[in-house]
């Protein structure tokens, strides 16, 4: 049986090899992105070692390689190797993870991080995986799980089996943690004091891939496992000694430390094999990585790094730019503490020479990146220069902005650095004040004398204005107290007639209403504002008396639709009576079945009032008057009062018409809404 299996495997490999040769393309998955060439980077090209163990990309775009000798950074053109004085970075690196501005490095017997261009050793643990979470960093080691807290690794106790196992991978699907160890695959509700722990399957599990609706885990020699809800299914593959699995496009890439790469379709059916027998130079694959520009990187244990360049995704790539270094008087500064949304860098007047070094990464076209900058002004022309020297800057606030552009005209977002250069001491206010103190003292005495005179004049003007304002208030209150003498005469005659006719009940009612009206007018004259309820009560007394005295009978209604109680709304007193008097005397005076409707409403800021009558019309009445310049004094004063309250108040008279004939008048105005709370 084993012989048949080996025969089929060799036959399949030859078939794959023939297919690739027919395509005449080194590497093509028949889907975007497509690839038609690769580059192999080795020690001779500048990389630290041919034994590459892991790979990642930071937020700026640099590619980082971990090897058995340490750490290497690549910008598309140049390799930069990093070592550490204590020798930790020269040991074997197992895993690299870039998160925000930090690079986490896990290796043989050490865990370190790179931040602000410096490396820091955290702990002597052999690290196998690093997983950033929302609140912390979780580290899988050769013996259990740890959590990064400040500058320490604290063990996370789950259960004895996990705590004593080699943790190869940890992933979180938003609800559960999946842990791949050399002994089993686990599912935990949470890591610290887990509420539930489930051992999914025994075995040596090497990596975990979290997808939208399923979890995929690779085993060392037993194929793949698909976890969908609570169901687990096995996928058999040809590859053994599996290191991990990656999702590239719609395919799954399973890579091995000894059998190359096996590519599976989206349904996990076999697609093709990549190894040294058909299209590749190495079977010892340590990592597979797809960068931001859709290039695929393969790291190996003996042949360095292979890069397959994307043909179709580069146009979608938007670069980012970052400051590499900032110098003041040729001395580097901690620029991470300053810049946009950070504390502004404050410099003395002597430190007015700054140099900015910046970088933007385009792995596919590294030599075609252009830059432009501005310093409190217009942008400079686009150039390939990645640094700017600014010498002899004047004092003041500065914002240095720089932006990059790729070959396809994709531009990065500008980055800013804010700084302030202080004035020389001889330009500062305290120095000038000390020199001119004597002159200012003399000038101050002169100004003080002038101010005294001005204050005396202003005080006199203020007193005059206050007196004028007092007289105006008295005039306004006097107008409020005024009542049409004809109205008073008619009321008194009406009272006399009721007395002569012996209508004592009507007589008492009329006298009571008249006295209440006079009392309310007198009380309101002492106030700047009264409640709408009091105003309505005064109007009812007034209109009731007008009804009794009028020859032509009329009716009235007072309606309101307000957001507050009428007791809570405050308005100036005697504001509505002149409009009603005008409607009675000039609108419905000569018609039968006259009607007056008073309606109050409000919006968020104003109260509105409408007085509607079915009389002969306001403008028609004005035309019939012999003296066209005659207008009610009380009405004029009321209109001026309303207009003086607020710039948005108004008073309008509208003749209502039907079929071209005037059927009445609507007087309307609005004043600011005021309440007693």
């Amino acid at each position: 049986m084993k012989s048949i299996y080996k025969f089929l495997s060799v036959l399949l490999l030859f078939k794959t090899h023939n297919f690739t040769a027919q395509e005449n393309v080194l590497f093509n998955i028949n889907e975007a992105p497509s690839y038609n060439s690769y580059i192999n980077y080795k020690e001779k090209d500048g990389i630290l070692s041919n034994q590459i163990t892991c790979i990642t990309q930071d937020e700026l775009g640099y590619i980082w390689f971990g090897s058995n000798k340490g750490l290497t950074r690549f910008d598309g053109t140049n390799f930069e190797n990093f070592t550490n004085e204590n020798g930790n970075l020269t040991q074997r690196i197992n895993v690299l993870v870039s998160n925000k501005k930090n690079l986490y490095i896990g290796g043989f017997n050490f865990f370190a991080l790179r931040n602000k261009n410096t490396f820091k050793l955290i702990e002597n643990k052999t690290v196998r995986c690093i997983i950033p979470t929302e609140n912390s960093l979780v580290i899988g080691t050769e013996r259990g799980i740890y959590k990064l807290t400040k500058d320490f690794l604290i063990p996370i106790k789950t259960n004895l089996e996990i705590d004593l196992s080699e943790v190869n991978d940890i992933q979180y699907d938003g609800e559960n943690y999946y842990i791949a160890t050399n002994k089993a695959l686990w599912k935990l509700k949470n890591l610290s004091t887990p509420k539930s722990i489930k051992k999914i399957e025994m075995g040596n599990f090497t990596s975990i891939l979290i997808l939208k609706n399923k979890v995929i885990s690779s085993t060392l020699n037993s194929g793949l496992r698909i976890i969908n809800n609570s169901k687990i299914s096995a996928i058999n593959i040809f590859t053994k000694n599996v290191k991990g699995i990656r999702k590239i496009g719609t395919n799954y890439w399973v890579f091995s430390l000894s059998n190359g790469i096996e590519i599976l379709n989206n349904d996990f059916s076999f697609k093709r094999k990549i190894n040294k027998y058909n299209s590749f130079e190495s079977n010892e694959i340590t990592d597979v990585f797809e960068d931001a520009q859709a290039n695929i990187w393969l790291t190996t244990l003996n042949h360095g790094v292979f890069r397959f360049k994307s043909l179709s995704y580069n146009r979608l790539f938007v670069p980012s730019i970052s400051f590499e270094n900032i110098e003041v008087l040729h001395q580097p500064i901690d620029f991470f503490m300053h810049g946009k949304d950070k504390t502004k860098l404050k410099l003395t007047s002597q430190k007015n020479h700054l140099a900015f070094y910046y970088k933007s990464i385009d792995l596919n076209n590294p030599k075609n990146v252009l830059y432009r900058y501005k310093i409190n002004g217009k942008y400079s022309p686009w150039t390939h220069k990645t640094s700017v020297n600014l010498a002899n800057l004047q004092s003041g606030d500065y914002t240095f902005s720089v932006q990059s552009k790729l070959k396809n005209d994709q531009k990065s977002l500008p980055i800013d650095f804010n700084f302030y250069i202080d004035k020389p001491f001889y330009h500062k206010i305290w120095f000038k004040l000390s020199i001119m103190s004597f002159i200012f003292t003399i000038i101050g005495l002169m100004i003080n004398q002038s101010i005294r005179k001005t204050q005396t004049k202003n005080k006199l003007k203020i007193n005059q204005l206050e007196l004028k304002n007092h007289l105006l208030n008295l005039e306004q209150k006097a107008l409020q107290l005024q009542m049409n003498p004809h109205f008073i005469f008619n009321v008194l005659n009406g009272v006399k007639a009721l007395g002569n006719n012996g209508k004592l009940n009507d007589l008492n009612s009329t006298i009571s209403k008249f006295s209440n009206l006079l009392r309310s007018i007198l009380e309101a004259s002492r106030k700047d504002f009264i409640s709408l309820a009091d105003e309505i009560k005064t109007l009812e007394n007034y209109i009731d008396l007008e009804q009794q005295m009028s020859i032509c009978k009329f009716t009235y209604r007072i309606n309101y639709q307000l957001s507050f109680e009428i007791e809570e709304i405050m308005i100036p007193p005697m504001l509505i009576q002149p409009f009603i008097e005008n409607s009675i005397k000039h609108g419905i005076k000569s018609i039968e079945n006259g009607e007056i409707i008073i309606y109050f409403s409000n919006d968020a800021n104003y109260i509105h009032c409408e007085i509607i009558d079915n009389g002969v019309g306001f403008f028609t009445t004005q035309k019939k008057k012999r003296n066209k310049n005659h207008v009610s004094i009380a009405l004029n004063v009321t209109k001026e009062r309303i207009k003086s309250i607020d710039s948005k108040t108004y008073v309008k008279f509208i003749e209502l018409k039907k079929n071209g004939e005037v059927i009445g008048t609507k007087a309307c105005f609005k004043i600011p809404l005021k309440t007693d709370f």
Side-chain angles (χ1 to χ4, degrees):
M1 186 68 183
K2 291 183 178 179
S3 299
I4 294 173
Y5 179 79
K6 290 181 178 179
F7 174 77
L8 291 174
S9 299
V10 173
L11 182 62
L12 184 59
L13 289 176
F14 277 110
K15 183 178 179 181
T16 306
H17 175 70
N18 293 335
F19 176 79
T20 306
Q22 290 172 2
E23 287 234 318
N24 197 27
V25 176
L26 179 63
F27 188 59
N28 192 336
I29 314 176
N30 299 323
E31 60 181 70
S34 59
Y35 309 81
N36 69 348
S37 63
Y38 73 79
I39 304 173
N40 184 202
Y41 301 109
K42 294 185 177 181
E43 288 184 19
K44 62 181 178 63
D45 301 303
I47 203 165
L48 196 59
S49 169
N50 286 338
Q51 190 178 128
I52 306 300
T53 55
C54 52
I55 181 173
T56 192
Q57 186 176 28
D58 63 23
E59 64 176 6
L60 180 59
Y62 281 109
I63 297 292
W64 294 83
F65 306 108
S67 70
N68 63 327
K69 295 182 181 179
L71 191 64
T72 300
R73 187 176 73 174
F74 183 53
D75 64 0
T77 303
N78 301 311
F79 293 95
E80 184 178 3
N81 297 315
F82 296 89
T83 58
N84 201 9
E85 292 180 359
N86 59 21
N88 288 301
L89 291 181
T90 61
Q91 300 183 46
R92 177 186 174 90
I93 297 175
N94 294 329
V95 59
L96 293 171
V97 171
S98 175
N99 185 35
K100 297 179 180 177
K101 294 186 180 297
N102 296 323
L103 179 69
Y104 298 101
I105 310 158
F108 179 76
N109 204 32
F110 79 93
F111 174 72
L113 68 86
R114 183 179 189 269
N115 178 264
K116 300 179 182 179
N117 296 332
T118 60
F119 291 92
K120 184 175 184 180
L121 178 66
I122 302 295
E123 192 118 6
N124 294 324
K125 300 286 182 187
T126 296
V127 178
R128 294 187 175 277
C129 63
I130 302 171
I131 297 88
T133 63
E134 290 184 0
N135 302 319
S136 63
L137 197 75
V138 178
I139 295 96
T141 71
E142 64 177 354
R143 198 175 178 87
I145 304 171
Y146 288 77
K147 178 175 68 174
L148 178 63
T149 302
K150 294 184 178 178
D151 293 335
F152 301 96
L153 292 184
I154 299 175
I156 298 176
K157 299 298 182 182
T158 52
N159 67 4
L160 190 60
E161 285 189 70
I162 298 176
D163 295 342
L164 297 177
S165 299
E166 295 178 1
V167 179
N168 296 319
D169 201 0
I170 304 171
Q171 295 295 332
Y172 181 61
D173 68 353
E175 184 177 356
N176 299 295
Y177 287 91
Y178 291 86
I179 302 174
T181 72
N182 64 331
K183 296 178 181 178
L185 178 64
W186 300 83
K187 178 180 178 181
L188 283 70
K189 197 69 176 174
N190 57 322
L191 292 178
S192 300
T193 61
K195 296 179 181 178
S196 65
I197 302 178
K198 181 181 179 182
K199 183 188 292 184
I200 297 175
E201 186 178 327
M202 297 288 290
N204 190 344
F205 287 84
T206 56
S207 71
I208 299 169
L209 183 62
I210 299 290
L211 299 178
K212 186 175 182 181
N213 56 357
K214 55 179 171 273
V215 178
I216 306 172
S217 182
S218 62
T219 67
L220 187 66
N221 292 307
S222 302
L224 307 178
R225 297 296 182 269
I226 313 297
I227 301 103
N228 194 341
N229 296 326
S230 59
K231 296 180 181 180
I232 180 169
S233 56
I235 302 294
N236 294 321
I237 58 176
F238 297 107
T239 305
K240 303 299 179 183
N241 199 17
V242 172
K243 179 72 163 52
I245 182 171
R246 301 284 186 265
K247 183 77 180 291
I248 306 293
T250 59
N251 296 324
Y252 298 98
W253 291 43
V254 182
F255 56 97
S256 165
L257 293 173
S258 59
N259 294 147
I261 297 172
E262 183 174 339
I263 301 179
L264 304 177
N265 290 308
N266 192 42
D267 60 355
F268 298 100
S269 61
F270 177 82
K271 182 168 187 176
R272 66 165 298 173
K273 192 83 166 153
I274 300 176
N275 55 32
K276 64 181 180 181
Y277 299 109
N278 57 20
S279 60
F280 205 48
E281 298 182 29
S282 175
N283 278 352
E284 299 172 342
I285 310 300
T286 58
D287 205 351
V288 176
F289 181 76
E290 183 179 21
D291 66 27
Q293 293 177 263
N295 301 303
I296 295 180
W297 302 76
L298 307 182
T299 61
T300 71
L301 279 179
N302 50 14
H303 287 82
V305 180
F306 290 85
R307 171 190 173 191
F308 294 88
K309 188 174 180 181
S310 169
L311 296 179
S312 56
Y313 270 56
N314 191 47
R315 60 185 177 82
L316 301 177
F317 175 67
V318 178
S320 60
I321 188 170
S322 176
F323 290 113
E324 298 275 279
N325 193 18
I326 298 176
E327 295 179 353
V328 177
L329 291 180
H330 309 290
Q331 296 297 318
I333 64 167
D334 186 3
F335 58 88
F336 290 98
M337 295 297 295
H338 308 283
K340 190 174 182 181
D341 300 327
K342 299 292 182 181
T343 305
K344 183 182 295 184
L345 177 63
K346 294 183 179 180
L347 302 170
T348 62
S349 59
Q350 294 82 13
K351 295 181 177 181
N352 61 350
H353 188 151
L354 284 83
F356 295 89
Y357 301 86
Y358 37 83
K359 186 80 169 181
S360 190
I361 305 297
D362 181 1
L363 295 170
N364 291 345
N365 298 283
K367 296 182 179 180
N368 291 320
V369 181
L370 297 174
Y371 302 90
R372 66 177 182 177
Y373 73 91
K374 68 177 178 180
I375 178 80
N376 289 359
K378 294 183 179 180
Y379 274 109
S380 66
W382 292 101
T383 69
H384 290 285
K385 290 184 62 177
T386 59
S387 64
V388 172
N389 281 287
L390 303 174
N392 301 319
L393 294 173
Q394 300 297 318
S395 61
D397 285 300
Y398 290 93
T399 297
F400 178 83
S401 299
V402 63
Q403 186 180 26
S404 64
K405 180 175 73 169
L406 304 185
K407 182 179 179 181
N408 58 6
D409 284 336
Q410 286 282 5
K411 297 182 182 66
S412 71
L413 291 175
I415 55 172
D416 300 332
F417 184 82
N418 302 303
F419 62 97
Y420 170 76
I421 299 178
D422 202 2
K423 296 178 180 179
F425 74 94
Y426 49 83
H427 284 165
K428 292 190 176 181
I429 296 176
W430 66 266
F431 181 79
K432 294 178 180 179
L433 289 176
S434 63
I435 297 298
M436 302 180 69
S437 59
F438 179 73
I439 298 173
F440 284 163
T441 301
I442 295 175
I443 294 174
L445 292 173
M446 296 174 63
I447 292 174
N448 184 56
Q449 184 67 22
S450 176
I451 289 173
R452 288 178 179 273
K453 292 181 180 179
T454 304
Q455 286 177 340
T456 303
K457 292 179 180 179
N458 290 340
K459 189 174 181 179
L460 180 61
K461 289 181 179 179
I462 290 170
N463 291 336
Q464 291 174 347
L465 289 172
E466 287 178 348
L467 178 61
K468 185 177 180 180
N469 185 54
H470 181 63
L471 292 174
L472 288 173
N473 286 335
L474 290 176
E475 180 182 351
Q476 179 177 314
K477 289 182 178 181
L479 286 170
Q480 291 175 9
L481 285 170
Q482 273 189 350
M483 184 171 290
N484 194 318
H486 294 289
F487 171 73
I488 298 174
F489 177 76
N490 289 339
V491 171
L492 293 177
N493 278 340
V495 169
K496 179 179 178 182
L498 291 172
N500 291 336
N501 295 329
K503 296 181 180 180
L504 297 180
N505 290 334
D506 293 340
L507 177 63
N508 291 332
S509 174
T510 302
I511 293 174
S512 176
K513 289 179 181 179
F514 188 56
S515 62
N516 288 336
L517 177 61
L518 294 177
R519 186 184 299 110
S520 62
I521 293 173
L522 181 62
E523 290 177 353
S525 67
R526 302 189 184 100
K527 301 177 182 178
D528 293 327
F529 291 93
I530 62 172
S531 71
L532 182 58
D534 291 340
E535 180 74 358
I536 289 174
K537 188 175 180 181
T538 301
L539 291 176
E540 288 174 341
N541 284 332
Y542 169 71
I543 299 174
D544 287 346
L545 290 171
E546 284 281 14
Q547 280 182 320
Q548 290 182 357
M549 302 303 113
S550 178
I551 299 174
C552 299
K553 299 300 179 182
F554 68 91
T555 59
Y556 76 93
R557 286 180 291 159
I558 300 178
N559 300 326
Y560 47 83
Q561 185 174 358
L562 302 163
S563 303
F564 302 90
E565 298 294 331
I566 57 175
E567 290 80 6
E568 299 173 342
I569 297 175
M570 308 300 290
I571 65 171
M574 294 294 289
L575 201 63
I576 303 162
Q577 185 270 338
F579 293 99
I580 297 173
E581 180 183 357
N582 187 73
S583 292
I584 295 172
K585 299 304 179 185
H586 304 291
I588 60 174
K589 177 180 180 181
S590 58
I591 67 171
E592 294 291 337
N593 301 319
E595 183 182 27
I596 298 175
I597 301 173
I598 305 154
Y599 177 68
F600 297 96
S601 63
N602 73 280
D603 55 27
N605 301 310
Y606 292 90
I607 181 168
H608 301 261
C609 178
E610 296 179 356
I611 300 97
I612 303 170
D613 64 61
N614 60 346
V616 296
F618 179 79
F619 299 111
T620 303
T621 305
Q622 292 296 317
K623 290 177 182 178
K624 291 180 178 180
K625 288 181 180 179
R626 292 180 180 177
N627 184 2
K628 293 186 179 180
N629 295 323
H630 173 75
V631 181
S632 168
I633 295 176
L635 191 59
N636 261 344
V637 170
T638 302
K639 288 165 65 177
E640 292 300 321
R641 285 177 65 194
I642 292 172
K643 291 179 180 178
S644 66
I645 293 173
D646 185 89
S647 61
K648 294 184 179 180
T649 59
Y650 64 79
V651 179
K652 295 180 181 178
F653 290 90
I654 303 169
E655 282 192 344
L656 306 177
K657 295 182 179 182
K658 184 176 181 182
N659 297 328
E661 294 185 359
V662 177
I663 59 170
T665 301
K666 177 169 74 173
C668 53
F669 65 86
K670 74 171 185 179
I671 57 174
L673 178 63
K674 179 180 176 63
T675 61
D676 64 348
F677 55 83

